[in-house]
Amino acid sequence: MSATARKMAPNAEDIRARKGGTPLVSLTAYTTPMAQFMDGHCDFVLVGDSVGMVLHGLTSTLGVTMEMMILHGQAVARGLKQSMMVIDMPFASYEEGPAQAFRNAARLMAETGAGAVKLEGGVEMAETIRFLVKRGIPVMAHVGLTPQSINTLGGYKVQGRDAQAEAVLADAHAVAEAGAFSVVLEKVPQGLADRITAEVAIPTIGIGASAGCDGQILVVDDMLGFFTAFKPKFVKRYADLGPLAEAAISEYAAEVRARSFPAPEHVFADQAPAAAKTVAPKAPQKD
């Protein structure tokens, strides 16, 4: 193979094979430009239903629709060549049963080109995960804090402390045994995350879990400082671009009001500039 051959995006089995190896890197993306920025840096990119809060101003992920996920999935797919794309199944698109889940998962994959779907839930979703996997749909599971269940969980609370630990552990084992190729552990105590990582045979992807997980994921707008409504404890801001963007917009507004923008270099003359004359080279002279 040529040394300059383009790196191919990993698939679900490639991700599964990374268990216990170099940590997997992931971020969420919702647009083509952002996907292009992270392509090749991330092993997989998640088109998360967090798009509802980050880009659409919703107060939770519950209002996200299939149409929204497809639209943003198509946008992200255009920006990826080297990273795998995983897409969230939105609330109420799979909970009814395996048949409903299959119809919607198949539609998401067919219309976006995603390499896998992600769905929330543990023991109660094992049958659905098994059904999907047997029919050719790779599934990334998600246990611990499951944002689509905030109304029954009582908010965005840490999951798996004290007596809850065994239930979260059982959820992780259930999704692994059902055929999920990886599992997101969200907002679970570090010790429990390390125990799950040691016990299950598939990679664990932490978000508010432990550095000992097999990989990590963050919402990109959180880690870049674009989303400022709140900042979860588990988020590290690698840049603070929100204030920079606001400052730039403020400067633009001031210049427009002062009529200093557009400046002469930003506008067009009434007459097109004359074309430069081409001077033919002189023929060599004889002695």
Side-chain angles (χ1 to χ4, degrees):
M1 181 180 290
S2 167
T4 60
R6 181 172 69 82
K7 175 186 172 184
M8 299 299 291
N11 58 32
E13 287 309 306
D14 295 327
I15 300 298
R16 184 196 297 269
R18 293 277 294 276
K19 176 69 180 180
T22 302
L24 293 154
V25 178
S26 180
L27 289 166
T28 64
Y30 320 107
T31 65
T32 303
M34 195 62 78
Q36 291 172 327
F37 288 141
M38 60 185 70
D39 189 35
H41 298 289
C42 293
D43 297 293
F44 70 91
V45 171
L46 174 67
V47 186
D49 59 357
S50 49
V51 68
M53 301 174 74
V54 172
L55 294 189
H56 293 275
L58 302 179
T59 57
S60 75
T61 62
L62 300 183
V64 175
T65 65
M66 283 284 292
E67 287 69 27
M68 290 166 66
M69 295 307 302
I70 290 169
L71 176 67
H72 290 284
Q74 291 170 340
V76 169
R78 296 184 192 108
L80 297 181
K81 294 181 179 178
Q82 300 180 60
S83 301
M84 177 185 180
M85 187 173 87
V86 180
I87 190 165
D88 263 338
M89 297 194 70
F91 177 67
S93 70
Y94 60 95
E95 295 90 340
E96 185 177 321
Q100 180 211 27
F102 178 79
R103 286 193 303 273
N104 286 319
R107 181 185 173 197
L108 282 174
M109 292 185 68
E111 295 190 32
T112 66
V117 299
K118 181 172 77 63
L119 56 80
E120 298 180 7
V123 171
E124 73 281 5
M125 295 309 303
E127 178 187 357
T128 293
I129 293 171
R130 188 173 292 109
F131 188 93
L132 295 179
V133 172
K134 285 184 176 180
R135 287 156 180 78
I137 296 180
V139 177
M140 176 179 289
H142 183 154
V143 304
L145 174 64
T146 48
Q148 293 176 8
S149 302
I150 57 166
N151 288 328
T152 55
L153 295 176
Y156 298 98
K157 301 176 181 178
V158 174
Q159 302 295 309
R161 284 180 172 150
D162 303 323
Q164 290 183 330
E166 291 302 318
V168 175
L169 182 65
D171 283 338
H173 278 288
V175 298
E177 292 163 6
F181 69 91
S182 58
V183 56
V184 172
L185 306 180
E186 181 167 357
K187 214 165 183 181
V188 300
Q190 180 176 346
L192 177 59
D194 289 339
R195 181 181 173 188
I196 292 172
T197 300
E199 291 189 13
V200 300
I202 59 175
T204 56
I205 312 298
I207 177 167
S210 168
C213 290
D214 297 298
Q216 301 293 328
I217 187 168
L218 284 175
V219 172
V220 69
D221 292 71
D222 284 342
M223 59 91 72
L224 291 179
F226 280 126
F227 185 76
T228 58
F230 58 87
K231 178 181 174 292
K233 175 187 169 97
F234 55 77
V235 169
K236 177 178 177 179
R237 288 234 166 104
Y238 286 82
D240 205 10
L241 303 185
L244 290 177
E246 185 175 4
I249 292 167
S250 175
E251 182 179 0
Y252 163 72
E255 289 189 2
V256 169
R257 293 185 178 111
R259 297 191 185 279
S260 61
F261 177 85
E265 64 267 28
H266 305 125
V267 297
F268 301 92
D270 293 330
Q271 299 295 325
K277 293 183 179 180
T278 302
V279 179
K282 293 182 178 180
Q285 299 294 318
K286 292 183 179 180
D287 292 334

